[in-house]
Amino acid sequence: MLKSHSCGELRKEHTGQVVTLAGWVHRRRDHGGLIFIDLRDREGIVQVVFNPEVSKTAHELANDLRNEYVIKATGEVAQRPPGTENRKLPSGEIEVIASDLEILNTSKTPPFYINEDVEVDENLCLKYRYLHLRRPRMKDNILLRHRVEKFMRDFLDAKGFVEIETPILFKSTPEGARDYLVPSRIHPGKFYALPQSPQQLKQLLMVAGFEKYYQIARCFRDEDSRADRQPEFTQLDLEMSFVDEEDILKLLEELFTSLVETVKPEMRLVKPFPRFSYAESMERYGTDKPDIRFGLEIRDLSAIVASSEFAVFRAAIQGSGKVKGICLPGCAGYSHKQLEELTELARANGAKGLITLALPLGGYTSLEQLTLDKVKSVAAKYLTIEQVKEMVRKFEAKPGDLMLIVAGEPKMVDKVLDELRREMGRRLNLIDLNLLAFVFVVGYPLLEWNDEAGLWEPMHHPFTSPCEEDIPLLDTDPSKVRARHYDIVCNGYELSSGSIRIHTRQLQEKIFHLLGYSSEEIEERFGHLLEALDFGAPPHGGIAPGIDRVVMLLAGGENIREVIAFPKNQGAIDVMSGAPSSVSEAQLDELHLKLKDEGIIQT
RNA sequence: GGCCCCGUGGUGUAGCGGUCUAACAUGCCACCCUGUCACGGUGGAGAUCGUCGGUUCGAAUCCGAUCGGGGUCGCCA
């Protein structure tokens, strides 16, 4: 090793030792007679002092140092002179008095700051990703990711799980997300698909008898990116035999609780993890991935306004619609412009409009004294005071609160209010950023009716087992069948869906048929799986939490690109390498491929 | 594919019809400085304001198109 110690590890206990350090020049402070260098390596930063009285040659050479030069410096660790300690630095009590300096490599001036955490155009960061990763915050994110994955491995190993790799070149199963395809050279016209997840393979490992499997698995889905989604991502994929829902949920709760306590002890958890039924989550939060770090819960006002004169409400309720709302504390004073902004947000999410009711701040001490003329709302003249009071009671609203009401199709109403709720939770600073609010969502329906396609679709995936007692309903009323399916959600992000799987051929075939597959399709796509179920498949189930999102939440980020070493941008491009890129005609030939539009062969 | 936001020295921002021959901070270069730590001081270089077109006597500024980026809807079994 070129170094005896790392920069970040030095403390006053090292005082008196002669150490050799190697790292990057983080910052240079040249006082003419005296030069201070903040030397940075993976472990942190330490101050190195160049004093001509200690070494004239080292001091002279230090004159040439610039940011990001790579250097090796030898010197004695010394306690800093009293009054010059730097409490902002863990190594701030000491410094290294350099007696020798070697420049291992020079550096061009970086295209953006490495020693300051100012936001820079993301494409530039991605182009010079290796420089961006030098930033302490980015470096810490990647190290955090390492600790998370290490913890998961250790935890599951201790629980008797076996880590097993599964193929990246696998078979296309065209339902679900779009596949990434890999053309076969040996088999003209045939393709592998990159796995959207190792779902089938892990089930087959259960049939194989491994009982407890896990893998930190890369998954590939060719769909448009989002802040929390990119084409390739990582899951902690796990599967267990001879378990029920309770076993999986208990394992997850223990895993995440001890993970947070180990790698991020300063963050708080809600324990035990609350459980919501799908119906309850939709009812109270308008979504199946609720952020429960704050209130502003949705309330159903349909019953209250059922007999309303107000055409907007009446029309909604007489159709198959709902009237629901949320209540914003202390927002009654919102200006016309602010209300218009909220209405715009509602419209952007599909609402025709937004009804607002502002409760006066003063003028009534008990609800009895509230009169209609004091309530500020375009709907006031169509409502009775009793209806308004009922709403106030339903929201437990206080004087000065603002009620936001949306009417229409239930799906739209939920979506709009979910959006408004999360936006206002942020704006009103109701969110505790140090809190990780994990929740389990259970009791999902097995199937969802797709009106456009005119067939049943699985809510999760076609391998999810229905609840035993609901199996007869598959023939009579499929919408009523509950799934043995659970989700884990944290701070409004879905970390994973999981389920107890179907483990008999008969039931699996029945589900495939219900989903509209012909016998031939079933055989072609899932024949290998069905055959496996015939050979003594054990009852089994599992889940696969998304590691990128977990690390993002632990890092306090809002974007998974901050916790992936080499991410792709929104257009699925690796800005650093330029992938995807053109290939030569020879390569295409070998793969028996021909581009449809010869023009696009040019770069 | 739809919608919203953003493109101004290396970086981050300001300017939003004329006074812009484009401002500020930082970075960069040179010189000075022995206790700084976002060191300080003096001086200097560095931008045809993403691109194209239009409106106008006059465009960084207004309009249109286009390209690039971010967010989001659709999509994500």
Side-chain angles (χ1 to χ4, degrees):
Chain A
M1 285 293 287
L2 296 183
K3 50 164 110 182
S4 67
H5 293 74
S6 65
C7 301
E9 73 174 299
L10 294 179
R11 295 291 181 269
K12 68 170 179 245
E13 292 80 63
H14 297 90
T15 304
Q17 288 186 41
V18 174
V19 298
T20 299
L21 303 175
W24 288 263
V25 174
H26 192 63
R27 216 183 274 280
R28 178 179 68 125
R29 289 178 296 281
D30 183 350
H31 286 239
L34 213 54
I35 296 172
F36 298 97
I37 296 291
D38 287 342
L39 189 61
R40 185 192 73 234
D41 66 14
R42 199 184 75 189
E43 307 304 321
I45 290 171
V46 72
Q47 173 165 283
V48 181
V49 188
F50 293 91
N51 187 333
E53 286 164 21
V54 175
S55 167
K56 198 158 187 299
T57 51
H59 178 264
E60 261 169 29
L61 193 54
N63 254 317
D64 298 336
L65 296 182
R66 294 293 180 271
N67 282 351
E68 301 308 313
Y69 274 33
V70 187
I71 64 171
K72 186 174 107 171
T74 303
E76 188 181 326
V77 179
Q79 205 129 12
R80 292 199 189 186
T84 67
E85 301 88 353
N86 183 356
R87 267 187 235 129
K88 284 185 239 165
L89 226 53
S91 66
E93 284 187 276
I94 52 98
E95 60 194 3
V96 174
I97 312 293
S99 52
D100 197 31
L101 170 65
E102 188 183 335
I103 296 177
L104 300 173
N105 204 350
T106 59
S107 171
K108 294 209 283 189
T109 303
F112 50 80
Y113 302 104
I114 287 163
N115 51 22
E116 271 179 65
D117 198 24
V118 292
E119 246 182 85
V120 176
D121 177 66
E122 205 178 346
N123 249 14
L124 194 65
C125 296
L126 290 176
K127 183 175 175 193
Y128 297 100
R129 188 62 170 179
Y130 44 86
L131 296 181
H132 197 220
L133 290 173
R134 283 187 194 169
R135 283 187 167 191
R137 193 175 59 85
M138 292 302 293
K139 177 205 73 183
D140 287 344
N141 285 353
I142 300 300
L143 295 181
L144 172 67
R145 187 179 179 121
H146 160 72
R147 293 204 306 279
V148 167
E149 294 186 0
K150 169 85 161 59
F151 179 90
M152 288 171 166
R153 287 200 158 99
D154 292 345
F155 178 93
L156 291 172
D157 178 66
K159 296 274 181 199
F161 281 76
V162 181
E163 181 170 6
I164 304 173
E165 295 173 78
T166 55
I168 293 296
L169 297 176
F170 198 54
K171 187 182 166 79
S172 175
T173 53
E175 63 289 328
R178 210 172 285 116
D179 281 324
Y180 276 99
L181 296 176
V182 179
S184 165
R185 173 182 57 85
I186 299 169
H187 304 280
K190 298 204 171 159
F191 296 83
Y192 301 96
L194 307 184
Q196 295 180 24
S197 82
Q199 181 61 36
Q200 294 185 42
L201 293 155
K202 70 176 174 178
Q203 291 193 236
L204 293 170
L205 288 170
M206 293 301 103
V207 179
F210 287 98
E211 301 198 31
K212 290 177 178 179
Y213 142 91
Y214 85 97
Q215 181 186 189
I216 292 180
R218 193 64 60 86
C219 306
F220 306 87
R221 293 178 193 174
D222 187 3
E223 298 291 350
D224 291 349
S225 299
R226 291 287 184 277
D228 62 351
R229 236 163 65 189
Q230 69 144 30
E232 50 180 320
F233 59 97
T234 309
Q235 289 185 337
L236 176 64
D237 192 45
L238 63 92
E239 195 80 4
M240 300 165 82
S241 295
F242 310 114
V243 289
D244 60 24
E245 293 88 326
E246 208 53 43
D247 298 300
I248 307 272
L249 298 191
K250 253 170 68 188
L251 179 86
L252 281 182
E253 182 157 338
E254 195 186 333
L255 170 67
F256 281 112
T257 304
S258 45
L259 170 71
V260 172
E261 284 165 359
T262 305
V263 307
K264 273 277 169 178
E266 66 273 28
M267 293 189 99
R268 292 192 303 111
L269 287 159
V270 179
K271 282 195 289 188
F273 296 175
R275 291 191 192 184
F276 291 95
S277 73
Y278 174 73
E280 187 185 1
S281 180
M282 293 305 292
E283 179 68 26
R284 288 171 58 185
Y285 300 100
T287 173
D288 64 347
K289 37 181 189 178
D291 187 347
I292 63 157
R293 288 175 297 173
F294 60 98
L296 304 185
E297 286 187 22
I298 297 169
R299 294 287 144 80
D300 192 336
L301 310 172
S302 306
I304 299 173
V305 299
S307 59
S308 161
E309 300 292 305
F310 194 34
V312 173
F313 291 165
R314 218 176 41 214
I317 291 169
Q318 279 171 357
S320 54
K322 288 271 185 199
V323 177
K324 290 175 150 190
I326 58 174
C327 177
L328 306 179
C331 295
Y334 267 26
S335 66
H336 181 76
K337 195 182 161 195
Q338 284 174 302
L339 294 177
E340 195 47 50
E341 210 184 324
L342 293 179
T343 307
E344 208 31 66
L345 189 64
R347 286 213 187 93
N349 285 285
K352 287 213 181 73
L354 181 68
I355 305 298
T356 62
L357 281 107
L359 298 173
L361 191 52
Y364 75 106
T365 45
S366 71
L367 200 50
E368 312 311 311
Q369 294 167 327
L370 184 66
T371 53
L372 219 39
D373 59 301
K374 288 178 186 149
V375 178
K376 220 174 86 189
S377 172
V378 292
K381 56 185 165 186
Y382 305 107
L383 296 169
T384 66
I385 186 64
E386 263 321 306
Q387 288 171 331
V388 174
K389 284 180 183 174
E390 275 301 308
M391 289 184 191
V392 171
R393 280 187 208 108
K394 191 102 183 176
F395 283 123
E396 298 173 51
K398 300 198 171 48
D401 285 1
L402 177 70
M403 300 187 282
L404 304 181
I405 299 168
V406 180
E409 281 308 303
K411 235 178 152 167
M412 177 277 288
V413 170
D414 284 337
K415 182 164 171 278
V416 170
L417 288 171
D418 169 38
E419 204 63 49
L420 285 168
R421 180 180 170 271
R422 285 185 294 119
E423 178 63 28
M424 293 316 295
R426 270 196 297 276
R427 283 200 209 173
L428 299 174
N429 275 322
L430 301 175
I431 298 174
D432 176 354
L433 295 174
N434 238 350
L435 187 63
L436 289 167
F438 288 92
V439 301
F440 289 123
V441 182
V442 297
Y444 281 84
L446 184 72
L447 303 162
E448 221 176 2
W449 179 252
N450 181 332
D451 223 15
E452 272 169 50
L455 41 82
W456 290 102
E457 285 181 346
M459 193 92 174
H460 178 32
H461 58 50
F463 316 114
T464 301
S465 176
C467 287
E468 180 94 37
E469 61 268 34
D470 291 351
I471 290 176
L473 289 170
L474 286 171
D475 300 312
T476 56
D477 188 357
S479 71
K480 290 250 161 57
V481 178
R482 288 165 301 161
R484 299 185 68 181
H485 165 189
Y486 33 84
D487 267 21
I488 182 163
V489 172
C490 183
N491 294 358
Y493 288 93
E494 183 193 300
L495 295 183
S496 181
S497 286
S499 60
I500 302 299
R501 327 295 184 188
I502 296 166
H503 70 280
T504 64
R505 179 181 191 120
Q506 186 208 11
L507 184 56
Q508 187 66 73
E509 279 186 334
K510 189 181 179 75
I511 296 289
F512 282 142
H513 282 299
L514 193 59
L515 296 175
Y517 293 116
S518 69
S519 299
E520 293 72 38
E521 282 174 307
I522 295 171
E523 189 47 43
E524 152 64 19
R525 291 184 191 172
F526 305 109
H528 54 288
L529 183 76
L530 288 169
E531 192 169 29
L533 296 183
D534 265 340
F535 287 100
H540 61 284
I543 195 157
I547 288 179
D548 311 281
R549 289 181 189 174
V550 170
V551 179
M552 175 187 85
L553 289 168
L554 291 172
E558 294 192 321
N559 171 331
I560 60 169
R561 279 169 261 129
E562 291 177 2
V563 298
I564 297 172
F566 298 101
K568 293 181 175 48
N569 72 3
Q570 192 171 79
I573 290 168
D574 179 320
V575 182
M576 191 174 60
S577 72
S581 55
S582 308
V583 296
S584 69
E585 262 186 274
Q587 276 178 293
L588 291 175
D589 271 349
E590 214 166 31
L591 295 168
H592 324 284
L593 295 178
K594 191 169 161 58
L595 295 181
K596 251 184 165 176
D597 175 2
E598 292 294 342
I600 57 180
I601 214 166
Q602 312 299 328
T603 54

